Amino acid sequence: MSSTDREMMSRALQLAAKGRYTTSPNPAVGCVIALDGAVVAEGYTRPAGGNHAEIEALQSAGNIVGATAYVTLEPCSHQGKTGPCADALIAAGIARVVIAGEDPNPQVAGAGIKKLQDAGIEVDVGLLEDQARDINSGFIKRQEQGTPWVTVKMAASLDGRTAMASGQSQWITTPAARQDVQRLRATCCAIITGIGTQLMDDPSLTVRITNEDFGVVDPLRQPLRVVVDSRLQMSPEARMFSQPGATVVATLDGAEQRTKAEALTAAGAEVIFLPALGEHIDLQALLVELAGRDCNKVLVEAGAGLAGAFIAEGLLDELVCYWAPKLFGNEARPMFNLPIETIDAHLALSIRDIRQIGEDIRVTLYPDKDY
């Protein structure tokens, strides 16, 4: 494929990234239509029920017979809330379609490509596929594995401490880093915390920025708030019940929990009962539940116990750490409770990104593939 192809697909990826805050549960897709090497139309996927990227581009185009369409994900071939994008490209007279990657959705999974080819359209697949998969990591994982992408976020001092021994933790990082966390929250469908954090901090767990703050057209939605509370200790007076958006409290099934659930339900919570793994909630079962609610990405904002459990149980996809240039000392609380006793038993991580956010440093890491 040519340098022009790469340039056009790069632009399509930039467009796709605009939708990563608003398209879930659908993937964020970008589309560029070019004729004789010049862009004539472009678009990206709108919120669920709205136009897909290809339709957005086609609606702004004139006569594009013989043009090339660059799409970051295989055009859909089935009738959902909107019509098949593959049919629309065929009807528009597109001569060639360049696709970054195949759609893992079983309703598509190559059928869109075949439909285009059967119509006599030249199709090339695989250009900048890794970048396209990164934008839709949550959607792809949910389709391929049946669980959402799990990001664990931690804010820590330079010596790896997240709170003082008393539990005091506000504020470790600067306002710039906390604003960055708001952007991270906005990309996620759900925010998961533990009962310990809820009781200590009484957090709102809301997105407190708007689409105008970073140039997105469509309004943001509030992620689902999820509190992991095995014994159902949460108070009906918790702050999050008065916040916009929905709250789910995940607990174990038992007579005590069933009784306590009534007050939480009256306060506005949805209480769900999940199986146990040892003495605690089966976190894999929780993730399956959230995938069933069309959650592509979830953000874990919790203390050392729950955050460590997600890691120890092999559920981590991404770790985002905000490091503040401060020292809290050895009596302060650690980032994770992890039962690692020897160097050989360490969990290896790969650094994917490092950047300064205000006075703090944000490091994004992925677990090694054999994790």
Side-chain angles (χ1 to χ4, degrees):
M1 282 180 264
S2 68
S3 59
T4 298
D5 290 336
R6 295 184 67 86
E7 179 184 348
M8 297 298 175
M9 185 60 78
S10 294
R11 174 56 184 164
L13 289 167
Q14 291 174 352
L15 292 166
K18 289 186 175 184
R20 66 188 184 275
Y21 300 100
T22 58
T23 62
S24 184
N26 293 333
V29 180
C31 176
V32 170
I33 298 175
L35 188 60
D36 298 326
V39 175
V40 295
E42 58 185 30
Y44 60 93
T45 302
R46 309 309 290 270
N51 287 336
H52 289 189
E54 299 92 325
I55 305 303
E56 282 284 300
L58 289 171
Q59 287 184 349
S60 65
N63 183 358
I64 52 172
V65 174
T68 298
Y70 297 86
V71 190
T72 60
L73 192 70
E74 175 185 0
C76 63
S77 55
H78 64 290
Q79 178 69 47
K81 292 182 179 179
T82 60
C85 293
D87 289 352
L89 292 171
I90 294 167
I94 294 292
R96 178 176 177 239
V97 179
V98 181
I99 301 168
E102 185 176 307
D103 190 337
N105 184 343
Q107 292 182 295
V108 185
I113 294 171
K114 184 177 186 304
K115 180 174 281 193
L116 295 171
Q117 291 172 330
D118 288 347
I121 294 174
E122 178 186 352
V123 179
D124 293 304
V125 183
L127 180 61
L128 303 183
E129 182 176 6
D130 287 346
Q131 292 92 318
R133 287 183 67 91
D134 280 346
I135 291 172
N136 284 305
S137 56
F139 173 79
I140 291 171
K141 187 186 177 193
R142 181 168 66 87
Q143 296 295 331
E144 293 181 345
Q145 301 182 34
T147 54
W149 180 270
V150 177
T151 298
V152 174
K153 186 277 293 181
M154 301 296 289
S157 61
L158 196 59
D159 51 349
R161 304 294 172 164
T162 61
M164 305 311 294
S166 64
Q168 179 188 2
S169 62
Q170 296 181 337
W171 293 100
I172 297 173
T173 54
T174 59
R178 298 199 294 275
Q179 184 77 353
D180 194 68
V181 171
Q182 292 296 315
R183 297 171 72 96
L184 181 60
R185 284 182 178 181
T187 66
C188 295
C189 306
I191 303 172
I192 302 174
T193 195
I195 185 59
T197 297
Q198 192 282 314
L199 292 175
M200 177 65 67
D201 298 337
D202 194 18
S204 297
L205 295 186
T206 53
V207 170
R208 294 186 288 278
I209 54 176
T210 68
N211 52 312
E212 289 88 357
D213 290 327
F214 45 95
V216 174
V217 174
D218 299 306
L220 306 182
R221 66 177 183 180
Q222 289 296 333
L224 178 69
R225 296 180 291 269
V226 182
V227 180
V228 178
D229 184 4
S230 298
R231 293 184 290 161
L232 219 55
Q233 298 172 275
M234 190 172 179
S235 168
E237 304 300 321
R239 180 187 303 171
M240 64 181 68
F241 294 138
S242 63
Q243 303 300 312
T247 301
V248 167
V249 183
T251 190
L252 298 175
D253 199 355
E256 181 181 3
Q257 288 91 334
R258 290 281 177 178
T259 299
K260 291 180 176 180
E262 296 178 5
L264 290 178
T265 301
E270 179 185 357
V271 179
I272 60 173
F273 301 91
L274 295 175
L277 182 65
E279 297 181 357
H280 305 288
I281 288 172
D282 185 336
L283 297 178
Q284 173 73 14
L286 173 61
L287 294 178
V288 170
E289 169 73 23
L290 293 177
R293 295 168 181 251
D294 290 334
C295 288
N296 288 337
K297 299 185 74 172
V298 300
L299 180 64
V300 179
E301 292 195 47
L306 184 59
F310 272 97
I311 296 172
E313 294 174 25
L315 303 175
L316 174 72
D317 293 302
E318 179 182 49
L319 176 62
V320 178
C321 293
Y322 293 86
W323 298 94
K326 303 171 182 177
L327 299 175
F328 283 0
N330 63 295
E331 296 298 325
R333 298 184 181 187
M335 295 177 69
F336 309 109
N337 291 342
L338 284 173
I340 298 175
E341 297 182 358
T342 66
I343 291 179
D344 291 343
H346 73 279
L347 171 62
L349 301 166
S350 298
I351 296 175
R352 298 299 298 267
D353 181 77
I354 301 178
R355 65 186 62 199
Q356 186 167 354
I357 308 291
E359 297 178 3
D360 306 309
I361 299 295
R362 187 188 73 196
V363 183
T364 302
L365 309 101
Y366 286 2
D368 283 357
K369 292 181 180 180
D370 59 354
Y371 165 59

